[in-house]
Amino acid sequence: MNRIPSLRDYVEALREIGEVVEIDREVDWSLEMGAITRRCYEIGAPAPLFNNVKDAEPGFRAIGASVGASNRPGQRLSRIALSLGLEPRASAREIVDSIAAARTRESIKPMRVQTGPCKQNIRLGDDVDLLKLPLPLLHVGDGGRYLNTLGMIGVRTPDGQWTNWSVARVMVLDERHATGVIVPFQHIGKVYARWVELGQDMPFVIALGVEPLVLMAAGMPLPDEIDEVDYVGGYIGEPVEVVKAETNDLEVPATAEIVLEGTVSVRQTAPEGPMGDYGGYMYPHHPIDFPVYTVNAMTFRDDPIYPFTCAGEPPEEDHTIAGVGAAGEACHMLRDAGIPVTTVWLPFEAADGWMAVMVPPDWGEYEPDPRALCRKIAEIVLATKVGQPVKTFIVCEDDIDPSNLSELVWAIDGRNDRGENGQVVIGQVPGWPMTPYIFPHPEDVPMGWMTTRIVQNCLGPAGTHRPERTAFKHNYPAELREQVLRNWEADGFPSDLESAAAVAVTR
Ligand SMILES: Cc1cc2nc3c(=O)[nH]c(=O)nc-3n(C[C@H](O)[C@H](O)[C@H](O)COP(=O)(O)O)c2cc1C
C-alpha cells in the first residue's frame, strides 16, 4: 500500500492527479466557501483549497470536498482510493476489499512519540480564538458556523480502556466554546454516557486535518470497544505515531494540522443546528440542545489546512467516507458469518439509504431459498449500527457492479419478481437520525425512529440460469473488444469519452 501520512501530503497527491484547485483570492466564510464546495460535489469538480478566507488568521487555509467523488473519467473514486493507500483508479470492489481485509488482520496499538508537527504552534487558555479559524457558514438556514464537520473527535472511557475516534458535527458558539451532536448509540455517545454516570466532564481532542486513512477509520462503523487507531495500525502494518495533548491524557496523530483540546460538559448544553445534513434537507427538529465543548488549548502546524464538508445531497463525505466504511464493515461482517459475499456497496446517490450486497452465482449452495438468504443478510447487518441508515437492501449476483448505478438500476428492474417473491419486508427497526424523509412527522424523535426496511430480492430461484447479457463487456469476444478499443481514437471517437456508467465503474 502507499500510505499518505498527512493531510498536506494527501493534498499533494490530489494535485498530481488534478483533483485539487487552489483559490488565492479572498473567499467569504459566510456561505461562499459552502456554495463553492457544494457545487464541486454536485458536478464532481476537484476539491477547492482556500488559501485566503475572510477574517481568518493569515496562513490558515481550508479545504472542502477533500474526499468528494470526481467526475474525471476513471477517477470517480480516486480520492477514496488514495485515502486508503490504493492506486487512484482502484475499483469500488478493491476499495471495499481493502477495508474488509484489514478487519481480519491483527490490530496494532499506536506509538506515543515525544513531539510532532502538530506542536509547531501552541496556544493555551484565552489565547485560543476559534473565530480566527476559517470556519464556514455552510448553508442558508444553518444555526451557526461549523467548527467540525470533517475532523476526528477523540474521547476515552473513564477507565482508560476504550479510545474512540469518530466524526460528528460541532458548531462554534464563541472564541472558546462550541456545541456538538452526541448521538446516544454512536460510540462518542456511549463514552459520554460513562462520564455522565461519573458526573465528570469528558476530556476531548478534535484533530482537524488528519492523515486520510485515519479519517476513513473515524467515519467507519467499527464495533464497540475497538479503537480506530488500532484498526489503522493493523491496516498499515505499523503503529500510528501519536502525541499527547497539552492539557489532557488523550493522544492525536502527530501529523494533524490543527488540534483542539478541552472538555465536554456533562451539565451545560446549548442549542445546536440546524445544519443542512447528509440527507440533503434542513431538518425541522433542529436546533436541539447538545453538550457544550470548552476548548482549553489549540496546537497547529505552520500554515495549517482546515478540512470541512458541506453536507447535503450526495455525494459528499457522509457518503464517500461513512457510506464506503459501512460497506467495508458490512462485507466483513457478512463474510465472518459465513455468507458468500463478493462485495457490498452503498450507492452514493441514495445518501447511505441503499446497501447493495453481491453474491456469487452459486449462492444456492449456501442457502437455496433466495428469500431466506435476503432476510439473513439484512438481519445480520441490521443487528448492528452498520445497518441503521440503510432503508433498502438489494441482493444481486455479482456480474453487476453495484458502484455503477446504471447497471444496478437495470438489475433491480429486470431481476426482481415484485410482490411477495421480490421483496422481503423487515418491520420496525431503529432508524438513523436525520434519515432523509421528505415529510417528517412532528412526533418523530430527532435522535432516530423506528422504520421499516425492504430487501429487493434480485436473485432468481436457486439453480436457474439468467439469459446471457448483451452488453459490450459481456457479449462480444475478447479479441473483438480489444480491436474496437484499439481502433477507437482512429475511428474518430474522443479518447476521454466515457459514458456515465463508465465514469462510475472507474475501470
Ligand atoms: C463528514 C461526516 C460527518 C458526520 N457527521 C456526523 C454527525 O454529525 N453525527 C453523527 O453521529 N455521526 C456523524 N457521522 C457518522 C459517523 O462518523 C459514523 O457513524 C462513525 O461510524 C461514528 O463513529 P463510531 O462508529 O466510532 O461511533 C459523520 C461522518 C462523516 C464522514
Side-chain angles (χ1 to χ4, degrees):
M1 73 161 290
N2 179 23
R3 178 183 179 194
I4 299 181
S6 70
L7 175 61
R8 56 187 63 196
D9 289 313
Y10 174 68
V11 170
E12 285 317 306
L14 293 184
R15 203 190 302 278
E16 273 170 32
I17 58 165
E19 291 289 344
V20 70
V21 162
E22 280 197 61
I23 303 176
D24 290 329
R25 72 176 172 87
E26 184 181 272
V27 173
D28 202 331
W29 53 262
S30 177
L31 299 176
E32 194 182 7
M33 281 165 83
I36 293 170
T37 305
R38 191 98 281 289
R39 181 163 159 76
C40 289
Y41 289 123
E42 291 173 17
I43 65 170
L49 178 62
F50 301 100
N51 286 331
N52 182 1
V53 175
K54 191 178 163 201
D55 301 332
E57 183 166 331
F60 279 65
R61 301 172 282 166
I63 189 165
S66 55
V67 196
S70 170
N71 221 9
R72 281 174 183 249
Q75 287 193 187
R76 179 154 168 82
L77 307 178
S78 55
R79 293 179 225 169
I80 305 166
L82 282 177
S83 296
L84 292 164
L86 304 174
E87 61 102 10
R89 285 182 168 248
S91 66
R93 189 163 156 183
E94 287 165 335
I95 284 171
V96 169
D97 270 344
S98 180
I99 296 170
R103 287 281 283 115
T104 62
R105 288 205 285 275
E106 192 89 4
S107 60
I108 298 178
K109 290 272 166 215
M111 188 201 297
R112 242 199 209 199
V113 292
Q114 277 309 308
T115 190
C118 69
K119 302 286 191 185
Q120 278 166 342
N121 302 275
I122 299 178
R123 293 198 186 149
L124 300 172
D126 284 339
D127 286 341
V128 175
D129 184 354
L130 300 176
L131 302 177
K132 289 277 176 223
L133 292 171
L135 309 182
L137 178 69
L138 292 164
H139 315 90
V140 173
D142 281 4
R145 295 169 73 179
Y146 269 81
L147 176 63
N148 189 49
T149 47
L150 201 56
M152 173 220 103
I153 306 178
V155 294
R156 182 175 286 151
T157 48
D159 63 7
Q161 295 302 303
W162 179 20
T163 303
N164 175 247
W165 287 0
S166 71
V167 184
R169 70 190 213 196
V170 179
M171 189 184 91
V172 77
L173 294 173
D174 62 32
E175 289 82 353
R176 287 191 45 203
H177 297 96
T179 172
V181 166
I182 296 189
V183 177
F185 62 74
Q186 292 284 48
H187 292 155
I188 188 173
K190 291 186 176 181
V191 173
Y192 180 70
R194 301 205 199 159
W195 288 95
V196 171
E197 249 171 55
L198 214 64
Q200 277 178 29
D201 291 349
M202 173 173 74
F204 78 85
V205 284
I206 300 181
L208 295 157
V210 288
E211 83 169 88
L213 183 58
V214 166
L215 182 63
M216 293 295 296
M220 181 180 166
L222 288 166
D224 289 11
E225 311 279 343
I226 289 190
D227 293 6
E228 281 72 13
V229 67
D230 299 358
Y231 168 79
V232 175
Y235 189 109
I236 59 181
E238 59 184 338
V240 176
E241 293 195 347
V242 293
V243 288
K244 190 186 117 27
E246 297 296 306
T247 58
N248 62 40
D249 247 350
L250 293 163
E251 294 93 10
V252 286
T255 63
E257 296 284 331
I258 303 168
V259 177
L260 307 175
E261 311 172 5
T263 53
V264 183
S265 176
V266 294
R267 288 179 194 86
Q268 197 190 356
T269 61
E272 192 277 348
M275 187 193 90
D277 215 319
Y278 80 101
Y281 299 100
M282 296 299 298
Y283 288 85
H285 301 293
H286 297 250
I288 299 175
D289 281 345
F290 276 113
V292 168
Y293 286 64
T294 300
V295 179
N296 297 323
M298 174 168 107
T299 72
F300 56 98
R301 297 183 70 150
D302 294 337
D303 302 321
I305 306 174
Y306 164 84
F308 69 97
T309 295
C310 184
E313 284 176 48
E316 40 87 350
E317 286 82 0
D318 282 281
H319 320 106
T320 58
I321 294 180
V324 170
E329 181 63 16
C331 191
H332 166 70
M333 273 167 31
L334 291 166
R335 286 177 182 166
D336 207 38
I339 301 198
V341 167
T342 312
T343 193
V344 177
W345 191 248
L346 276 68
F348 301 150
E349 292 79 359
D352 299 341
W354 286 12
M355 180 178 281
V357 179
M358 302 294 123
V359 294
D362 62 357
W363 52 268
E365 286 174 21
Y366 170 79
E367 168 56 73
D369 175 358
R371 283 175 51 83
L373 179 60
C374 286
R375 179 171 289 278
K376 193 161 190 175
I377 286 172
E379 283 178 350
I380 287 172
V381 177
L382 289 170
T384 70
K385 76 189 186 110
V386 180
Q388 254 169 332
V390 179
K391 288 168 277 169
T392 302
F393 291 83
I394 299 142
V395 181
C396 205
E397 283 184 15
D398 61 9
D399 61 299
I400 298 295
D401 174 356
S403 73
N404 178 339
L405 195 65
S406 304
E407 265 191 79
L408 190 64
V409 168
W410 173 76
I412 292 172
D413 184 72
R415 299 186 185 182
N416 183 280
D417 205 7
R418 318 294 192 276
E420 228 178 74
N421 232 357
Q423 290 188 346
V424 177
V425 178
I426 299 178
Q428 298 306 293
V429 183
W432 187 259
M434 287 179 272
T435 296
Y437 284 121
I438 302 177
F439 305 115
H441 192 276
E443 283 165 23
D444 285 339
V445 183
M447 284 293 91
W449 42 76
M450 304 299 277
T451 53
T452 298
R453 312 303 168 88
I454 287 178
V455 191
Q456 299 281 9
N457 168 18
C458 299
L459 307 170
T464 54
H465 288 288
R466 259 183 294 105
E468 292 301 322
R469 292 178 61 173
T470 54
F472 175 73
K473 69 178 173 186
H474 290 278
N475 184 263
Y476 302 92
E479 311 91 77
L480 180 57
R481 278 187 281 140
E482 274 158 29
Q483 186 184 317
V484 169
L485 294 177
R486 233 183 356 259
N487 292 328
W488 194 248
E489 278 178 67
D491 282 345
F493 295 105
S495 60
D496 62 350
L497 181 73
E498 293 192 44
S499 68
V503 170
V505 288
T506 76
R507 274 226 161 142

